[in-house]
Amino acid sequence: GAVVSQHPSWVICKSGTSVKIECRSLDFQATTMFWYRQFPKQSLMLMATSNEGSKATYEQGVEKDKFLINHASLTLSTLTVTSAHPEDSSFYICSARDGELADTYEQYFGPGTRLTVT
Amino acid sequence: GQNIDQPTEMTATEGAIVQINCTYQTSGFNGLFWYQQHAGEAPTFLSYNVLDGLEEKGRFSSFLSRSKGYSYLLLKELQMKDSASYLCAVLDSNYQLIWGAGTKLIIKP
């Protein structure tokens, strides 16, 4: 159990365009989902935390108008990178917390999406 | 500020034992996680410690000392597939995960 999927697994887009990444919890209800970015040879950097039905909480330095997060249901969160630039090229990973497990804070990770902006 | 330290890189031999240390200074503590991450893949859960002591799970064990702000991950009978980055993460007082930079473990035959 506790499977999280991400789509697409990789995407190449042109500078100035927008890209949407989907994150789904397949066998549990994810009341909280997290979006991370990871540059080569660096650790995970939390971008934002989203709770179903409410606005996402962005980490300091992350532009909320550039990285649009929508957590419309208990199984789906989307991250849209708007007006992408080459410096946005990175590995984007989502994770989810099982809302029915009150005492556990384990995050289940999706397989990641590699974004390349040309 | 919040800080998690772990070695950048370690090298070990196949079949041997390796210990990866993690020290932390965070605003509150609600547990410590270890994750394994192979290159180009997402992290996978290894262990969670919230009380002092050693938790053993097969070839992997994790130890925690809250008074010292210290944890280690012990890997026994190393296999080539254990070559990966190992991430230490602490759940702070707001139940946010604070991540270490990761330790890249290289296994040599």
Side-chain angles (χ1 to χ4, degrees), chain B residues 48-69:
Chain B
Y48 171 66
N49 293 66
V50 67
L51 299 176
D52 290 350
L54 185 69
E55 297 267 350
E56 297 186 71
K57 192 184 294 185
R59 294 189 299 115
F60 293 5
S61 302
S62 56
F63 171 84
L64 174 68
S65 169
R66 288 172 297 171
S67 63
K68 295 182 179 178

Side-chain angles (χ1 to χ4, degrees), chain A residues 36 38 43 97 106-107 110, chain B residues 35 37 42 45 91 95 99-100:
Chain A
Y36 293 88
Q38 187 175 34
S43 189
R97 192 182 284 166
E106 180 181 347
Q107 294 183 21
Chain B
Y35 281 84
Q37 185 179 25
F45 171 80
L91 206 58
Y95 292 94
W99 293 87

Side-chain angles (χ1 to χ4, degrees), chain A residues 36-61:
Chain A
Y36 293 88
R37 182 166 51 181
Q38 187 175 34
F39 293 105
K41 298 184 179 180
Q42 295 187 22
S43 189
L44 297 172
M45 291 174 49
L46 179 65
M47 299 175 67
T49 302
S50 72
N51 292 293
E52 183 265 336
S54 62
K55 291 184 178 180
T57 301
Y58 290 80
E59 294 300 300
Q60 193 172 9

Side-chain angles (χ1 to χ4, degrees), chain A residues 109, chain B residues 34-39 41-47 59-60 73 75 81-88 99 105:
Chain A
F109 285 85
Chain B
W34 283 98
Y35 281 84
Q36 179 191 62
Q37 185 179 25
H38 285 99
E41 299 180 10
T44 55
F45 171 80
L46 289 179
S47 67
R59 294 189 299 115
F60 293 5
L73 180 69
L75 292 77
K81 67 178 182 179
D82 297 329
S83 292
S85 287
Y86 292 85
L87 306 175
C88 172
W99 293 87
L105 177 63

